[in-house]
Amino acid sequence: AQKVTQAQTEISVVEKEDVTLDCVYETRDTTYYLFWYKQPPSGELVFLIRRNSFDEQNEISGRYSWNFQKSTSSFNFTITASQVVDSAVYFCALSEYNNNDMRFGAGTRLTVKP
Amino acid sequence: GAGVSQSPSNKVTEKGKDVELRCDPISGHTALYWYRQSLGQGLEFLIYFQGNSAPDKSGLPSDRFSAERTGGSVSTLTIQRTQQEDSAVYLCASSLTGGAREQYFGPGTRLTVT
């Protein structure tokens, strides 16, 4: 069965600090996809990234970077030089290739203080 | 282009009444998903539609919940004889195809059962 664990319920940082959001997943499939979504206070989930299980290259997009490690079943998300606008709930999600059920973690609430 | 739209944005209903929630996916997206997000929780998968295939109803919590998708576009989620535990935000998402593609979410319908 697929499962996603986001152990950090809430994180609070001061603007310009770097912050890493942890995501650990469980799956028996060899083909799967991992996602991160952002849910700002307005409520609408915003897609950030999708990675497949065969691509372990780290990815960087501006201040955002993702570290995918199959050896530890982790897909961590780092925000560099955090800003107040980064305040949101961040969800990690897993989708097995032949499974329609995208499984979300419980989310990490990030608060960036000025 | 237009994103996923949902209506109504808020719905307050009395226990025992039926409600209908509507989702209009992104034009051209063949896959459509319904999720439920209870206060402070992650997302719970409810149902998945892909093209003309039979829907995946494996996430529906009880037979009071049903959904349909007409003409491969608009979808309606119906909850019969609502209960207080049905109070949540109901989110709709669409993706270009199925098979673990990234999903784009609507703003949700906040349902309150009194």
Side-chain angles (χ1 to χ4, degrees):
Chain A
Q2 52 183 356
K3 182 180 176 182
V4 176
T5 302
Q6 294 180 257
Q8 304 150 309
T9 306
E10 295 193 28
I11 300 175
S12 181
V13 299
V14 177
E15 208 169 19
K16 297 184 184 175
E17 284 185 23
D18 299 348
V19 58
T20 296
L21 309 182
D22 297 335
C23 173
V24 174
Y25 63 92
E26 293 177 30
T27 178
R28 293 187 189 137
D29 275 19
T30 56
T31 303
Y32 53 90
Y33 296 81
L34 296 162
F35 302 80
W36 277 94
Y37 285 86
K38 174 182 180 180
Q39 188 173 38
S42 61
E44 196 159 333
L45 276 92
V46 176
F47 165 76
L48 295 178
I49 190 171
R50 168 183 182 261
R51 297 310 295 275
N52 74 57
S53 52
F54 300 107
D55 183 2
E56 283 194 75
Q57 277 200 331
N58 291 336
E59 179 144 348
I60 299 174
S61 176
R63 296 184 296 107
Y64 294 172
S65 62
W66 290 269
N67 185 315
F68 176 26
Q69 292 198 346
K70 289 176 77 170
S71 61
T72 55
S73 297
S74 65
F75 186 44
N76 296 339
F77 174 30
T78 297
I79 301 175
T80 302
S82 59
Q83 299 176 1
V84 172
V85 294
D86 295 328
S87 296
V89 180
Y90 290 86
F91 291 98
C92 180
L94 164 70
S95 187
E96 295 167 343
Y97 183 68
N98 288 318
N99 192 335
N100 302 320
D101 176 1
M102 180 180 284
R103 193 61 57 90
F104 285 77
T108 297
R109 180 177 299 278
L110 173 65
T111 302
V112 181
K113 299 177 181 175
Chain B
V4 177
S5 61
Q6 293 185 245
S7 61
S9 53
N10 278 285
K11 176 73 177 178
V12 180
T13 190
E14 292 180 355
K15 178 182 172 180
K17 295 283 179 69
D18 297 352
V19 294
E20 283 190 354
L21 313 180
R22 177 189 166 105
C23 171
D24 212 328
I26 293 172
S27 178
H29 280 194
T30 63
L32 185 148
Y33 305 77
W34 282 98
Y35 294 88
R36 178 168 69 177
Q37 185 176 27
S38 300
L39 187 62
Q41 301 296 310
L43 278 72
E44 175 191 5
F45 166 79
L46 297 178
I47 189 169
Y48 162 75
F49 295 90
Q50 170 56 43
N52 296 320
S53 302
D56 178 349
K57 305 178 183 180
S58 59
L60 294 178
S62 78
D63 59 8
R64 297 186 296 105
F65 287 72
S66 64
E68 62 177 24
R69 188 179 184 191
T70 52
S73 181
V74 172
S75 176
T76 303
L77 177 69
T78 301
I79 308 173
Q80 295 178 310
R81 305 181 302 282
T82 51
Q83 304 293 312
Q84 288 189 330
E85 60 263 29
D86 299 335
S87 295
V89 176
Y90 289 82
L91 293 166
C92 176
S94 71
S95 64
L96 188 59
T97 62
R101 298 292 301 182
E102 58 269 29
Q103 298 176 23
Y104 295 88
F105 284 80
T109 294
R110 182 176 298 279
L111 175 66
T112 303
V113 182
T114 61

